[in-house]
Amino acid sequence: MRIMIIVCVFLIPIFAVEMIIPIPDSIHYEKEKALLGKKLYLDARLSKDGKVACATCHNLATYGVDNKAISLGVNGIVDDPFNTPTSFNAVFNLSQFWDGRANSLKEQAKGPITNPKEMAFSEEEAIAVVQSDEAYMEEFEKLYKGEVSLETIADAIAEFEKTLLTPNSPFDRYLKGDQNAISESAKRGYESFKANGCISCHHGIGIGGNMYQKVGIFTPYNTPQLGRYDVTKKEEDKYFFKVPSLRNIDKTAPYFHDGSVINLETTIQLMALYQLGTILETDEINDLVAFLQSLTGEYKDALHQ
């Protein structure tokens, strides 16, 4: 594993120009289903105490997170022992959740509704809420031939989540040719990002989210969570987690799968230590922060009426 990482650190920068892709302004989605999904995403009635919606933990006003180390479910119960991942740009991930236990947005959307530590509903209770709402039933009749189930509820929510894109970040504009879109510090940070091998895991359209990696390659990371092992039960998957997207990372603190770090400077230094086996100088960290801040995109509600 260490040899592979070292090889990547030296070879990946050669091809790095092609390894980060700007976010498109939009992708295909079914608008009417997305409009229904948005209502469901915001509807706290789909929880046992009537206070928790998808948007409670994945707040649209704060880049798809709640900025808490660990989120709280119904009646203030401590949720999943993981930091809440952002719902923004999640459509580009290879899977959902830190351990990748959901293969799609639709599969992910089912989980919280029936999780006893999140929204704590049964499928029957969720269906009853929808069926009691005349406006909902008109839409389900039109879009799903009247079928109300956890499948159709999740399908609509997933369609809405396809709209949660944040294009036009300064760095994306830089990639498209605007040399003045980011600062000189951010440009140095990008070169450092490539030279140190960060890009070997953080690449693609999400600058992460498209592979699993062990946390603590060079220095052990003390964590009770076992990551992919909980899904696959394979010994070699212990402490492997989905690499987080760095899109809007400046807005989605705290960091790591356990939400244990509150600022980018510390996060960068610890990642360099745990994953790359190196200690960075303060000036280099500052440049990397400037680069990461340039990844904040623009969210415009495509369904605003």
Side-chain angles (χ1 to χ4, degrees), residues 241-254:
F241 297 88
K242 186 181 68 181
V243 174
S245 167
L246 297 183
R247 294 288 182 179
N248 311 308
I249 193 70
D250 185 45
K251 305 295 184 182
T252 57

Side-chain angles (χ1 to χ4, degrees), residues 99-251:
D99 57 13
R101 62 184 180 273
N103 292 320
S104 66
L105 289 175
K106 180 178 176 180
E107 188 177 344
Q108 185 280 326
K110 297 181 199 175
I113 294 174
T114 57
N115 187 325
K117 292 185 177 181
E118 295 187 58
M119 297 165 79
F121 249 6
S122 66
E123 180 172 1
E124 291 72 24
E125 287 171 318
I127 291 171
V129 166
V130 172
Q131 290 179 332
S132 69
D133 188 305
E134 184 177 340
Y136 271 152
M137 286 308 298
E138 287 180 3
E139 294 180 75
F140 273 87
E141 186 66 41
K142 179 180 180 181
L143 299 171
Y144 296 102
K145 298 181 179 180
E147 179 191 347
V148 181
S149 65
L150 195 58
E151 286 285 323
T152 55
I153 291 169
D155 185 73
I157 292 172
E159 205 64 24
F160 165 62
E161 289 181 328
K162 291 179 184 178
T163 72
L164 301 181
L165 308 185
T166 56
N168 206 38
S169 70
F171 185 70
D172 280 357
R173 298 200 301 273
Y174 174 73
L175 287 179
K176 292 177 180 179
D178 183 355
Q179 295 298 305
N180 297 317
I182 63 175
S183 67
E184 292 303 314
S185 177
K187 291 176 185 177
R188 292 193 301 270
Y190 180 43
E191 293 307 312
S192 177
F193 186 81
K194 292 184 287 185
N196 281 292
C198 309
I199 202 166
S200 64
C201 294
H202 292 284
H203 52 262
I205 197 167
I207 318 181
N210 54 3
M211 66 181 292
Y212 301 105
Q213 185 55 272
K214 182 179 181 181
V215 61
I217 294 173
F218 286 87
T219 300
Y221 188 97
N222 184 23
T223 176
Q225 288 88 20
L226 299 179
R228 284 293 290 165
Y229 174 82
D230 288 334
V231 178
T232 68
K233 303 305 179 185
K234 294 180 180 179
E235 192 70 20
E236 60 267 29
D237 284 338
K238 279 187 176 179
Y239 309 115
F240 273 72
F241 297 88
K242 186 181 68 181
V243 174
S245 167
L246 297 183
R247 294 288 182 179
N248 311 308
I249 193 70
D250 185 45
K251 305 295 184 182

Side-chain angles (χ1 to χ4, degrees), residues 8-77:
C8 286
V9 166
F10 285 100
L11 293 184
I12 289 294
I14 297 173
F15 306 100
V17 171
E18 302 171 355
M19 292 193 67
I20 296 179
I21 303 168
I23 292 178
D25 290 335
S26 65
I27 61 173
H28 174 73
Y29 65 92
E30 296 182 54
K31 186 172 183 179
E32 289 186 291
K33 284 186 178 180
L35 283 165
L36 171 59
K38 181 181 179 181
K39 294 174 186 176
L40 293 164
Y41 185 97
L42 298 169
D43 196 341
R45 293 179 299 166
L46 292 173
S47 66
K48 182 72 75 173
D49 63 1
K51 297 179 180 178
V52 179
C54 301
T56 303
C57 299
H58 300 284
N59 193 335
L60 300 180
T62 53
Y63 287 85
V65 299
D66 59 6
N67 296 119
K68 297 177 181 177
I70 303 295
S71 300
L72 299 179
V74 295
N75 300 317
I77 296 173

